[in-house]
Amino acid sequence: MFSGLGIAPLVLIFAAAAGAVWVAGIYLSRSTDTLDVRLGLGEALGGAILLAIATNLPEIAITASAALSHELGIAIGNILGGIAIQTVVLVVLDFAIGREAALTTRAASLVLGLEGLLVILVLAISVMGAQLPGDSLFARIEPAALLIALFWVAGLWLVNRARKGLPWHDTTGTAPDGQKEPMGHAKAKKMPDTSLARASAIFGAGAAVTLAAGIVLERSGEQIASHIGMTGVVFGATILAAATALPEVSTGIQAVRLGDYQLAVSDIFGGNAFLPVLFLVAGLISGSAVLPQAQATDVYLTALGIVLTVVYLWGLVTRPHQIVFRMGLDSVAVLVLYAGGIAGLIAVSNS
């Protein structure tokens, strides 16, 4: 689509597409909250699935576009790199809160711990699927990718059950001096008085813009990576993944400003748990098993995503009160680990 263009126009096109993703992501977030309330989805499984799809439309578009063109390296790198960089979004949100308390100190909840464990579960299955033979397809379906999707749905169901009550002294599983209002209160506060029809139209328009911008990001990004001599995996895991994480940044900042810290963390963990489900989408579109094509860099990214998630799970349990550079100790650790992880990724890709 963009072959023959120089690096300057490619960068401008990529930046414009990223801007479209940012703006569309804001409208998608607002319309999703409205649909959630108007349709009475609330904490139901349907609401969680709708939110996961809405916040990951750029990744869906990129995965579908890459699968159609059989450029699965960018798709795999974007999915697995997206998990790592979306976890780093929590660092940005922690910094945005200020100097009073760390994000995980305020958001501490057993339910969020379960969501983090779901992320680790689907990533572990991804590693297992990468070791299977390349011809492991049954009726165009990759067994490992199907298993990821099934565990994701089952995990969402269990998490939503946990939100209704846990067999603990505090049935909500929330720390006693953490977030004062229940998770999700920010949705009602930021939701405009919009009818169901208008919210549906806004959601549809936002989805269309996001999908189109996602395709442009993938195609222009592929050319940029070629121009600067960067491999598709490294580009997909860094610059492309950062661009597609913009909706999570905007919606997360809105949530923490309204004091809904648990919702901000839940959106990140929920989106990260959903991303590996896209391996099933990529497999169905491309007609080939995707996970067995994973390279050493992809397995490395998967491990990085697990490490970063574990650090924040530690933070949710221990609730660090010490603030360093306007962030909790867990966020500082995640930032350092991610920087070192990307340096290691470059080394692995060049070996």
Coordinates of all heavy atoms in Angstrom, one line a residue, residues 124-168:
A124 N 1.2 -18.6 29.3 CA 1.8 -19.9 29.4 C 1.4 -20.9 28.3 O 2.1 -21.6 27.8 CB 1.5 -20.5 30.8
I125 N 0.1 -20.8 28.0 CA -0.5 -21.7 27.0 C 0.1 -21.3 25.6 O 0.4 -22.1 24.8 CB -2.0 -21.6 26.9 CG1 -2.6 -22.1 28.2 CG2 -2.6 -22.5 25.8 CD1 -4.1 -22.0 28.4
S126 N 0.4 -20.0 25.4 CA 1.0 -19.5 24.2 C 2.4 -20.1 24.0 O 2.8 -20.5 22.9 CB 1.1 -18.0 24.2 OG -0.2 -17.4 24.3
V127 N 3.1 -20.2 25.1 CA 4.5 -20.8 25.0 C 4.4 -22.3 24.7 O 5.1 -22.8 23.9 CB 5.2 -20.6 26.4 CG1 6.5 -21.4 26.4 CG2 5.5 -19.1 26.6
M128 N 3.4 -23.0 25.3 CA 3.2 -24.4 25.0 C 2.8 -24.6 23.5 O 3.3 -25.5 22.8 CB 2.1 -24.9 25.9 CG 2.5 -24.9 27.4 SD 1.1 -25.3 28.5 CE 0.7 -26.9 28.0
G129 N 1.9 -23.7 23.0 CA 1.5 -23.8 21.6 C 2.6 -23.5 20.6 O 2.6 -24.1 19.5
A130 N 3.6 -22.7 21.0 CA 4.7 -22.4 20.2 C 5.6 -23.6 19.9 O 6.4 -23.7 19.0 CB 5.5 -21.3 20.7
Q131 N 5.5 -24.6 20.8 CA 6.3 -25.8 20.7 C 5.7 -26.9 19.9 O 6.3 -28.0 19.6 CB 6.6 -26.4 22.1 CG 7.1 -25.4 23.1 CD 8.2 -24.5 22.6 OE1 9.2 -25.0 22.1 NE2 8.1 -23.2 22.8
L132 N 4.4 -26.7 19.5 CA 3.7 -27.8 18.7 C 4.2 -27.8 17.2 O 4.7 -26.8 16.8 CB 2.2 -27.5 18.8 CG 1.6 -27.7 20.2 CD1 0.1 -27.3 20.1 CD2 1.7 -29.1 20.7
P133 N 3.9 -28.9 16.5 CA 4.3 -28.9 15.1 C 3.5 -27.9 14.3 O 2.4 -27.5 14.6 CB 3.9 -30.4 14.7 CG 3.8 -31.1 15.9 CD 3.4 -30.2 17.0
G134 N 4.1 -27.4 13.2 CA 3.6 -26.4 12.4 C 2.3 -26.8 11.7 O 1.5 -25.9 11.2
D135 N 2.1 -28.1 11.5 CA 0.9 -28.6 10.8 C -0.2 -29.0 11.7 O -1.1 -29.8 11.3 CB 1.2 -29.7 9.9 CG 1.9 -30.9 10.6 OD1 2.2 -30.7 11.8 OD2 2.1 -32.0 10.0
S136 N -0.2 -28.6 13.0 CA -1.2 -29.0 14.0 C -2.5 -28.1 13.8 O -2.8 -27.2 14.6 CB -0.6 -28.8 15.4 OG -0.2 -27.5 15.6
L137 N -3.2 -28.5 12.8 CA -4.5 -27.8 12.5 C -5.6 -28.9 12.4 O -5.4 -29.9 11.8 CB -4.4 -27.0 11.2 CG -3.8 -25.6 11.2 CD1 -3.7 -25.0 9.8 CD2 -4.5 -24.7 12.2
F138 N -6.7 -28.6 12.9 CA -7.9 -29.4 12.8 C -9.1 -28.6 12.3 O -9.5 -27.7 13.1 CB -8.2 -30.1 14.1 CG -7.1 -31.0 14.6 CD1 -6.2 -30.5 15.5 CD2 -7.0 -32.3 14.2 CE1 -5.1 -31.3 16.0 CE2 -6.0 -33.1 14.6 CZ -5.0 -32.6 15.5
A139 N -9.5 -28.8 11.1 CA -10.6 -28.0 10.5 C -10.2 -26.5 10.6 O -11.0 -25.7 10.9 CB -11.9 -28.2 11.2
R140 N -9.0 -26.2 10.1 CA -8.5 -24.8 10.1 C -8.3 -24.2 11.5 O -8.1 -23.0 11.6 CB -9.3 -23.9 9.2 CG -9.2 -24.3 7.7 CD -10.1 -23.3 6.9 NE -9.7 -21.9 7.1 CZ -8.9 -21.3 6.3 NH1 -8.3 -22.0 5.3 NH2 -8.6 -20.0 6.5
I141 N -8.4 -25.0 12.5 CA -8.4 -24.4 13.9 C -7.1 -24.9 14.6 O -6.8 -26.1 14.6 CB -9.6 -24.8 14.7 CG1 -10.9 -24.2 14.1 CG2 -9.5 -24.3 16.2 CD1 -12.1 -24.6 14.8
E142 N -6.4 -24.0 15.1 CA -5.2 -24.3 15.9 C -5.5 -24.7 17.3 O -6.1 -23.9 18.0 CB -4.2 -23.1 15.9 CG -2.9 -23.4 16.5 CD -2.0 -22.1 16.5 OE1 -2.4 -21.2 15.8 OE2 -0.9 -22.2 17.1
P143 N -5.2 -25.9 17.8 CA -5.7 -26.4 19.1 C -5.3 -25.4 20.2 O -6.1 -25.1 21.1 CB -5.0 -27.8 19.2 CG -4.8 -28.2 17.9 CD -4.5 -27.0 17.0
A144 N -4.0 -25.0 20.2 CA -3.5 -24.1 21.3 C -4.2 -22.8 21.3 O -4.6 -22.3 22.4 CB -2.0 -23.9 21.2
A145 N -4.5 -22.2 20.1 CA -5.2 -20.9 20.1 C -6.6 -21.1 20.5 O -7.2 -20.2 21.2 CB -5.2 -20.4 18.6
L146 N -7.3 -22.2 20.2 CA -8.6 -22.5 20.7 C -8.6 -22.6 22.2 O -9.5 -22.1 22.8 CB -9.2 -23.8 20.0 CG -10.6 -24.2 20.4 CD1 -11.6 -23.1 20.1 CD2 -10.9 -25.5 19.7
L147 N -7.6 -23.3 22.7 CA -7.6 -23.5 24.2 C -7.4 -22.2 24.9 O -8.0 -21.9 25.9 CB -6.4 -24.4 24.5 CG -6.3 -24.9 25.9 CD1 -7.5 -25.8 26.3 CD2 -5.0 -25.7 26.1
I148 N -6.6 -21.3 24.3 CA -6.5 -19.9 24.9 C -7.8 -19.2 24.9 O -8.2 -18.6 25.9 CB -5.4 -19.1 24.0 CG1 -4.0 -19.6 24.2 CG2 -5.5 -17.6 24.4 CD1 -3.0 -19.0 23.3
A149 N -8.6 -19.3 23.8 CA -9.9 -18.6 23.8 C -10.8 -19.2 24.8 O -11.6 -18.5 25.5 CB -10.5 -18.7 22.4
L150 N -10.8 -20.5 24.9 CA -11.7 -21.2 25.9 C -11.3 -20.8 27.4 O -12.2 -20.5 28.2 CB -11.7 -22.7 25.7 CG -12.2 -23.2 24.4 CD1 -12.0 -24.7 24.3 CD2 -13.7 -22.9 24.3
F151 N -10.0 -20.8 27.6 CA -9.6 -20.4 29.0 C -9.9 -19.0 29.3 O -10.2 -18.6 30.4 CB -8.1 -20.7 29.1 CG -7.8 -22.0 29.7 CD1 -7.4 -23.1 28.9 CD2 -7.9 -22.3 31.1 CE1 -7.1 -24.4 29.4 CE2 -7.6 -23.5 31.6 CZ -7.2 -24.6 30.8
W152 N -9.8 -18.1 28.2 CA -10.1 -16.7 28.4 C -11.6 -16.5 28.8 O -11.9 -15.8 29.8 CB -9.8 -15.9 27.1 CG -10.2 -14.5 27.2 CD1 -9.6 -13.5 28.0 CD2 -11.2 -13.9 26.4 NE1 -10.3 -12.3 27.7 CE2 -11.3 -12.5 26.8 CE3 -12.1 -14.3 25.4 CZ2 -12.2 -11.6 26.2 CZ3 -13.0 -13.4 24.9 CH2 -13.0 -12.1 25.3
V153 N -12.5 -17.1 28.1 CA -13.9 -17.0 28.4 C -14.2 -17.6 29.8 O -14.9 -17.0 30.6 CB -14.8 -17.8 27.3 CG1 -16.2 -17.8 27.8 CG2 -14.6 -17.1 26.0
A154 N -13.6 -18.8 30.1 CA -13.8 -19.4 31.4 C -13.2 -18.5 32.5 O -13.8 -18.3 33.6 CB -13.2 -20.7 31.5
G155 N -12.1 -17.9 32.2 CA -11.5 -17.0 33.2 C -12.3 -15.7 33.5 O -12.4 -15.3 34.6
L156 N -12.9 -15.2 32.4 CA -13.7 -14.0 32.6 C -15.0 -14.4 33.4 O -15.4 -13.6 34.3 CB -14.2 -13.5 31.2 CG -13.2 -12.7 30.4 CD1 -13.9 -12.2 29.1 CD2 -12.6 -11.5 31.1
W157 N -15.5 -15.5 33.1 CA -16.7 -16.0 33.9 C -16.3 -16.1 35.4 O -17.1 -15.7 36.3 CB -17.2 -17.3 33.4 CG -18.4 -17.8 34.1 CD1 -19.7 -17.4 34.0 CD2 -18.4 -18.9 35.0 NE1 -20.5 -18.1 34.8 CE2 -19.8 -19.1 35.4 CE3 -17.5 -19.8 35.5 CZ2 -20.1 -20.1 36.3 CZ3 -17.8 -20.8 36.4 CH2 -19.2 -20.9 36.8
L158 N -15.2 -16.7 35.7 CA -14.8 -16.9 37.1 C -14.5 -15.5 37.8 O -14.8 -15.3 38.9 CB -13.5 -17.8 37.2 CG -13.8 -19.2 36.8 CD1 -12.4 -20.0 36.7 CD2 -14.7 -19.9 37.8
V159 N -13.8 -14.6 37.0 CA -13.5 -13.3 37.6 C -14.8 -12.5 37.9 O -15.0 -11.9 38.9 CB -12.7 -12.5 36.6 CG1 -12.6 -11.0 37.0 CG2 -11.2 -13.0 36.6
N160 N -15.8 -12.6 37.0 CA -17.1 -11.9 37.2 C -17.8 -12.5 38.4 O -18.5 -11.8 39.1 CB -17.9 -12.0 35.9 CG -17.5 -10.9 34.9 OD1 -17.9 -9.7 35.1 ND2 -16.8 -11.3 33.9
R161 N -17.7 -13.8 38.6 CA -18.3 -14.4 39.7 C -17.6 -13.9 41.0 O -18.3 -13.7 42.0 CB -18.2 -16.0 39.7 CG -19.2 -16.6 38.8 CD -19.3 -18.1 39.1 NE -19.7 -18.4 40.4 CZ -19.8 -19.6 40.9 NH1 -19.4 -20.7 40.2 NH2 -20.2 -19.8 42.2
A162 N -16.3 -13.8 41.0 CA -15.6 -13.3 42.1 C -15.9 -11.9 42.5 O -15.9 -11.5 43.7 CB -14.1 -13.4 41.8
R163 N -16.3 -11.1 41.5 CA -16.7 -9.7 41.7 C -18.0 -9.6 42.5 O -18.3 -8.6 43.2 CB -16.8 -8.9 40.4 CG -15.5 -8.6 39.8 CD -15.7 -7.9 38.4 NE -14.4 -7.6 37.8 CZ -14.3 -7.2 36.5 NH1 -15.3 -7.2 35.7 NH2 -13.1 -6.9 36.1
K164 N -18.8 -10.6 42.4 CA -20.1 -10.6 43.2 C -19.9 -11.0 44.6 O -20.8 -10.9 45.4 CB -21.0 -11.6 42.5 CG -21.4 -11.2 41.1 CD -22.3 -12.2 40.4 CE -22.6 -11.8 38.9 NZ -23.4 -12.9 38.2
G165 N -18.7 -11.5 45.0 CA -18.5 -11.9 46.4 C -17.4 -13.0 46.5 O -17.4 -13.9 45.7
L166 N -16.5 -12.9 47.5 CA -15.5 -13.9 47.7 C -15.7 -14.4 49.1 O -16.1 -13.7 50.0 CB -14.1 -13.2 47.5 CG -13.7 -12.9 46.1 CD1 -12.5 -12.0 46.1 CD2 -13.4 -14.2 45.3
P167 N -15.3 -15.7 49.4 CA -15.4 -16.2 50.7 C -14.3 -15.7 51.7 O -13.5 -16.5 52.2 CB -15.3 -17.7 50.5 CG -14.4 -17.8 49.3 CD -14.8 -16.7 48.4
W168 N -14.2 -14.4 51.8 CA -13.2 -13.8 52.7 C -14.0 -12.9 53.7 O -15.2 -12.7 53.6 CB -12.2 -12.9 51.9 CG -11.3 -13.7 51.1 CD1 -11.6 -14.4 49.9 CD2 -9.9 -14.0 51.3 NE1 -10.5 -15.0 49.4 CE2 -9.5 -14.8 50.2 CE3 -9.0 -13.5 52.3 CZ2 -8.1 -15.2 50.1 CZ3 -7.7 -13.9 52.2 CH2 -7.3 -14.8 51.1

